[in-house]
Amino acid sequence: MQIQDLPYPDPGAPDARSGPRFLWWLFRNQLDGQFKALAWGLLHFLSVSALPFCVGVAVQAVVDRSGSRLALAGGLLALCCAGSALGDTFLHRAAVTNWITAAARVQQVLARKAAHLGSALTRRVAAGEVVAVSTGDVEKIGWFVEALSRFTAAAVTIVVVCVGLVVYQPALGVVVAVGLPVLALAVLPLLPRATRRADVQREKAGRATELASDTVAGLRVLRGIGGEELFLDRYRAASQEVRHAAVRSARMWSLISAIQVLLPGLLLITVVWYGVRLAGAGRVDVGELVAVYSSVMILTYPLRHFEEIAMAYSFSRPSARRAAKVLSLERATDTGGARTGTEPPSGDLYDPATGLLAPAGRLTAVVCGDPDAAGRLAERLGGHPSEKGESVLLGGVPLDEVPLDTARTAVLVQDKDPVLLSGTLRDLFDVPRSGDVDPEPALVAAQCQDVLAALVQGSVGAADPMDSRITERGRSLSGGQRQRLALARSLVTDPEVLVLDEPTSAVDSHTEARIAQGVRELRAGRTTVVFTSSPLLLDRADRVVLVHEGEVVAVGVHRELLHSEPRYRAVVTREPDADRDGSEDGARQSPTPGGPGLPAGADAGSGLEDVLKELEEIEESA
């Protein structure tokens, strides 16, 4: 796999049972790149390690005054230098390729899992953790995959050199062959402590990232309530904890590095002292002593890769564990698309759990007193249930048995807090769609005229409103403007079934009335389900359904339900003293003075008349 071939056509199914298993899965899927890096690494390290033997032959040739052997040594030196340069160049190329392709594979499987889970992902994993996994953790995992082949080449080189030294000069070779494994394994007792400290650092860094993400996302609200400094102080404290943890981790790794420098020095002193004694006794030649001494010097280079692989594994293990945690998540219900065929189903939308029916081609409004329950029901209608249960039916076909891509083509859910990605307005509307609805009528239906003007004003040189830029998550826009742009995007997709969860909660009543009429006209002949308690939207619906305590308790039109259903009236008119159990007596009690519903002293009847009168006035003005 080469970098120009990315992204992968199919990144594969990861083994997410644990962090080490996930790393092993990555390694197995990159065997070709690993073997290339290993081959080039062996060429590089063996060429470098052969230099001392060439130098030893050259020194001995000078001592013996042998010109032919000196020429041979010079040729071998040139060959080793060429091999070292060639191996180092292509080892770096292969290693970087392994790093990038491994990181790309991890990012692809994470993106595929995020798309598969949909909104369920952020409910089960903190947003900050997802960001940490898809950015910093991906790099650390790629580092380990890249360092593994280089470490293997270094380890093989050390074994080969030790065997060669024993054959070349047994007396000194045995000392080196015994000392080098001690050097390589000396830091093993320190690795568990270093790993634990690295884990603590990664954990604290993840919490700080999550806190920073939450603070930035809610900065406007924090400034409004005067809580900006409080959250900044929390982030400062969290960042200081990360700093302290990083210092503790760095101390341990510095100790390991010091040992990696000290012990080779001691081995070198031992070899020189013992070699001088042997040379004085005539048991070794000067050239042999120089070769063994130089070999010990050179072997400190591949020995450093033992420290690198230990660091890479220590830092990548918690990262791989976090990635495996995200990749192991599954949808609450998933049959894997048992039904064949690519055509999305059509017809009535029915939820067996609540008894909710949304007839095909009609605008159905759903009133639910609990906003959280309304959100969960909206996700169920879109085929994204948060818990196991009987599947929603579309045209009599269970959505769980339809391939996920097909189901999402058939039913689109816009939640309470839709996200606007940064880019141009044209990019915002570059989404899968039927082609029957253009952006212009969708923007008109969503009442986005003032939004377009604000975007053009804030985008220098954007003559066409479609070329105006949207900042990250639309932060330069108000909540109502973001809501309307998201609604226009949903209308452009023109799905068979569109589910809107409180699409106008942040707009004024006059704009809301015009949006209600625009959505009704643009979605004529299509199935639309709106979760709302706004009388303006409810009055435009073909059918209104009241869901109470998880089941449908009333069906009708808005004005009829206002008169006949106390529980519906309690939600829509915000009557604080209305009897939610259906008692007419309780529903007719006067609300508390100053409450959020009717004025003090007004009864339920006069409240209904006021609501209906307000509806008629807004209709006339709209």
Side-chain angles (χ1 to χ4, degrees), residues 410-492:
V411 184
L412 173 67
V413 179
Q414 177 181 306
D415 60 15
K416 293 184 181 68
D417 187 22
V419 175
L420 301 181
L421 301 178
S422 59
T424 65
L425 192 60
R426 198 181 308 277
D427 295 333
L428 180 70
F429 292 110
D430 186 16
V431 292
R433 50 184 171 174
S434 67
D436 295 335
V437 178
D438 294 327
E440 289 76 9
L443 288 166
V444 171
Q447 298 297 305
C448 293
Q449 294 85 345
D450 64 315
V451 185
L452 296 180
L455 288 175
V456 170
Q457 186 178 4
S459 301
V460 179
D464 186 350
M466 297 300 291
D467 293 328
S468 58
R469 296 199 63 82
I470 301 172
T471 57
E472 181 189 4
R473 298 179 68 90
R475 298 192 193 284
S476 61
L477 302 173
S478 67
Q481 290 173 327
R482 289 197 300 269
Q483 204 170 53
R484 282 177 281 161
L485 275 181
L487 176 59
R489 178 180 58 187
S490 299
L491 293 174
V492 164

Side-chain angles (χ1 to χ4, degrees), residues 476-544:
S476 61
L477 302 173
S478 67
Q481 290 173 327
R482 289 197 300 269
Q483 204 170 53
R484 282 177 281 161
L485 275 181
L487 176 59
R489 178 180 58 187
S490 299
L491 293 174
V492 164
T493 61
D494 190 36
E496 181 69 25
V497 179
L498 177 60
V499 180
L500 304 172
D501 188 4
E502 295 289 353
T504 58
S505 59
V507 301
D508 61 85
S509 58
H510 291 278
T511 304
E512 188 176 30
R514 291 192 291 268
I515 290 175
Q517 186 62 31
V519 170
R520 180 182 176 84
E521 294 174 355
L522 195 63
R523 291 287 298 171
R526 291 288 203 177
T527 306
T528 307
V529 181
V530 182
F531 285 80
T532 183
S533 59
S534 167
L536 297 170
L537 288 176
L538 295 170
D539 196 49
R540 295 297 196 284
D542 299 318
R543 194 167 185 264
V544 179

Side-chain angles (χ1 to χ4, degrees), residues 34-91:
Q34 294 292 338
F35 282 129
K36 286 182 181 179
L38 176 60
W40 291 117
L42 286 174
L43 175 62
H44 171 61
F45 287 124
L46 289 175
S47 297
V48 171
S49 300
L51 290 174
F53 293 96
C54 299
V55 172
V57 172
V59 170
Q60 193 61 42
V62 171
V63 172
D64 296 340
R65 299 180 181 275
S66 173
S68 59
R69 280 192 292 164
L70 184 60
L72 175 62
L76 291 175
L77 278 171
L79 185 63
C80 289
C81 289
S84 174
L86 184 66
D88 189 27
T89 300
F90 284 94
L91 169 61

